[in-house]
Amino acid sequence: MRHTLSKYWHHLVLLPLALLWLSPMLWIGVTSLKTKSEVFDSAAGWLPSVAQWSNYPAALSVAPFGRYLINSVLVTGSIIAAQLITITLAAYAFARLRFPGKNLLFGLFLVQIMFPIYAIFLTNFVTIRELGLMNSLWALIVPFVASGYGTFMLRQAFRQVPAELADAARLDGCGHLSTLWHVYLPLVKPTLVAFAIISVVTHWNDYMWPLLVTNSEEVRTLPIGLGLLAKADSGADWTRLMAATIVVVSPLLLFFVIFQRRFVDSFMHAGIK
Amino acid sequence: MPRFKHEDLRDIPAAALMLLPSLVFLALFTYWPILRSVWFSFHDVMLGSPEIFFLGLENYTRLLADGLFWKSFGNTALYTLLTIPLSIICALLLAVALDTRLRGMAFYRSAFFYPVMIPSVAAGMVWVFLYAPGYGPINGLMAALGLPRLEWLYDRSWAMPAIILMSIWKYAGYFMLILLAALQLVPRDLYEAARLDGVSATRQLLHITIPLISPTLYFVIIIGVLHSYQIFDYVYVMTQGGPADATNVLTFYIYQNAFQFQDIGYASAVANALLLFIIALIAILAATLGRRVHYLGS
């Protein structure tokens, strides 16, 4: 009896809080279906009188969102593909090979976690300019090819793999690369998926760096396109802007809803172990 | 000269090859920029100009006398020191409430976690709308409750709290999820025993839960520090540092000096101050909290 009562109390507190947390998203959805005048009219109530679905095609036609989407996919896809290669190799070296200066080098990898692009964007911007990569998709990819965080996560996972398994493979004449491929990688799939999800969420949503190094439609990504639309509208047409926001946030939210368990597990266990 | 066993040397070629891809990119886009920022800060460097003049400490003396630098430094510290504790307390309470095999767990988890998935630019923009003084729903709600309307992002004393409030909404769910994973590892019988001894829920939280999940709390605080860099996005989208620099923060001040005033040398000096602030903050956290962390079973 006491138990059911305490659970009842839990819901009584949690449900309003959850609705409060959801309210910005609900507000975006509701506004995207209103007419312009309903937005500014406080007497019009919270819901649109007639759902204006035409706000969506209107939002999509003011900017090349198709192009932005392709760019976002290309950039995020390239980053995660390159990262999976670099972190797998480095994590294996740190977890299983013996060489002098290992701890020092590992510490150097961790420096990147402390100083992400937000801390060092200025001199990176100068470098990208000197390399002639300004306003190209490369500029959005190359600073993120190496990942200290990914190397750290994967090294922890590799260390859990029993050394005997690797030794057996080595005795059978497998080199480092084939041991890595046939023994280690299949055993750390959950960690790889967890890192991939975190990395994709981070880079799909990146704003500051792409803002600095892109200046034409051909290379802009979805968040940049949305930011530009907001600037152009500057509060004049919230309905169109909120429709565009729904379009931009829905790919990740959709994946999240479909693969909820996977996402939650990835973020839950990313830091632990 | 340390001596290495034969075995230690045999792996060197393989290790070098495997570390090389990462090290090339780390060198180019992490180490080189940090070193260069130190180098630039002692020089007069203009954006797009090939000429560089040695200035010695001039950029730094200018920095110390620059009121706007100190203001943005103070704002950065205020944002970091308020957002992290507030969102972690919020996250901890949510996690404790959810750690009870509740029905609708998946719903609650998603409701609190989804803001993490939303791009910072979209979040910032939507909150500009929510905070709008005339037609924004937050003011609408406050009026309905009989509270005074606020200018929020247009008010010098409310703009920073408004960004902090939004940040709590954005990140608490992330911290909640990590803390929830740690809570699920706390042995249930500890709570049972405490309950039988008549220990109150608050004391259970303070004396059982928090000590046992302290390594994770420490980890979450560090993650919080690293996430606080992202305030640039919110300031850029929501206020552009205003009103009257009330929300100007170090990352945004670096941006202004570099891209609006083209002064890379001075911007580098500000950037180095930011790096020092982060290093100092993490060192203080490691020396105070890091030592007191209680590791279960080790």
Side-chain angles (χ1 to χ4, degrees), chain A residues 2-3 7 10-11 14-15 17-28 31 39-41 46 86-94 96-101 105 108-109 111-131 133 142-143 145-149 151 170 176-177 180 198 201 204-208 211-212 223-224 226-227 230-231 235 238 241-242 245 248-249 252-253 256 260-261 263-264 267-272, chain B residues 4-5 7-12 14-15 17-19 21-23 25-26 28-34 36-37 40 47-49 90 94 96-98 100-104 106-122 125-130 134-137 140-141 168-170 172-174 177-178 180-182 184-185 192 195 216 219 223 226 229-233 236-237 240 251 254-255 258-259 264 267-268 271 274-275 278-279 282:
Chain A
R2 241 191 94 174
H3 252 77
K7 289 203 169 170
H10 271 105
H11 287 295
L14 281 169
L15 198 61
L17 267 177
L19 290 177
L20 187 70
W21 242 256
L22 284 169
S23 59
M25 196 64 217
L26 299 176
W27 191 255
I28 302 174
T31 308
V39 171
F40 298 107
D41 183 4
W46 300 85
T86 59
I87 66 168
T88 305
L89 293 173
Y92 179 84
F94 283 125
R96 282 297 178 247
L97 298 182
R98 286 199 255 187
F99 53 93
L105 271 171
L108 277 177
F109 270 63
V111 166
Q112 197 212 22
I113 302 178
M114 224 164 127
F115 302 123
I117 195 81
Y118 283 91
I120 53 177
F121 66 91
L122 174 62
T123 28
N124 263 321
F125 176 86
V126 177
T127 305
I128 288 292
R129 237 165 104 119
E130 287 165 349
L131 292 173
L133 297 178
V142 288
V145 167
S147 168
Y149 186 54
T151 308
R170 303 277 292 161
H176 285 302
L177 283 183
L180 184 54
I198 294 173
V201 171
W204 183 268
N205 291 340
D206 260 346
Y207 185 63
M208 178 210 235
L211 180 76
L212 297 179
I224 301 301
L226 187 64
K231 216 171 176 180
W238 284 107
L241 200 51
M242 291 300 114
T245 305
V248 169
V249 302
L252 270 192
L253 286 184
F256 173 56
Q260 213 214 100
R261 271 228 93 78
F263 270 69
V264 167
F267 278 91
M268 255 180 149
H269 296 285
I272 307 177
Chain B
F4 299 106
K5 280 180 271 163
E7 266 180 300
D8 282 345
L9 300 175
R10 200 185 50 196
D11 283 343
I12 290 181
L17 279 176
M18 295 179 120
L19 294 178
S22 292
L23 282 173
F25 284 91
L26 285 174
L28 207 52
F29 299 108
T30 300
Y31 312 141
W32 173 235
I34 294 175
R36 216 172 179 196
S37 158
F40 277 171
L47 187 63
S49 150
C90 192
L94 287 175
V96 169
L98 280 182
T100 46
R101 298 176 203 289
L102 214 56
R103 276 185 61 186
F107 164 74
Y108 286 127
R109 238 174 16 193
S110 315
F112 295 119
F113 182 69
Y114 86 95
V116 177
M117 301 283 169
I118 291 183
S120 49
V121 55
M125 203 181 66
V126 169
W127 280 78
V128 167
F129 185 15
L130 298 178
Y135 51 88
L141 199 68
I168 296 172
W169 168 80
K170 184 90 168 64
Y174 183 20
L177 217 52
I178 298 175
L180 199 50
Q184 289 171 351
L185 299 176
E192 283 303 323
R195 203 171 300 139
T216 309
F219 172 78
I223 296 219
L226 300 179
Y229 282 121
Q230 222 173 5
I231 190 183
F232 175 90
D233 294 355
Y236 185 87
V237 173
Q240 289 281 317
T251 39
I254 298 168
Y255 166 85
F259 300 110
I264 300 280
S268 295
L274 173 66
L275 295 195
I278 297 291
I279 292 172
I282 290 188

Side-chain angles (χ1 to χ4, degrees), chain B residues 188-298:
Chain B
R188 296 284 130 179
D189 40 356
L190 279 179
Y191 294 121
E192 283 303 323
R195 203 171 300 139
L196 287 178
D197 286 346
V199 178
S200 71
T202 322
R203 289 176 61 102
Q204 285 181 33
L205 179 68
L206 289 178
H207 297 288
I208 301 176
T209 312
I210 290 181
L212 284 180
I213 62 163
S214 56
T216 309
L217 269 174
Y218 177 56
F219 172 78
V220 163
I221 293 171
I222 299 286
I223 296 219
V225 172
L226 300 179
H227 268 279
S228 64
Y229 282 121
Q230 222 173 5
I231 190 183
F232 175 90
D233 294 355
Y234 306 123
V235 166
Y236 185 87
V237 173
M238 298 169 82
T239 62
Q240 289 281 317
D245 288 303
T247 58
N248 204 338
V249 288
L250 288 177
T251 39
F252 192 73
Y253 195 47
I254 298 168
Y255 166 85
Q256 282 185 318
N257 277 292
F259 300 110
Q260 291 174 6
F261 314 133
Q262 324 281 310
D263 191 345
I264 300 280
Y266 188 60
S268 295
V270 181
N272 295 340
L274 173 66
L275 295 195
L276 281 180
F277 171 67
I278 297 291
I279 292 172
L281 194 60
I282 290 188
I284 291 171
L285 286 171
T288 53
L289 297 178
R291 280 155 169 256
R292 293 175 54 191
V293 163
H294 183 288
Y295 285 94
L296 194 64
S298 67

Side-chain angles (χ1 to χ4, degrees), chain A residues 164-187:
Chain A
E164 299 80 45
L165 274 180
D167 292 342
R170 303 277 292 161
L171 285 177
D172 285 348
C174 285
H176 285 302
L177 283 183
S178 68
T179 313
L180 184 54
W181 185 258
H182 293 293
V183 180
Y184 280 87
L185 284 184
L187 290 171

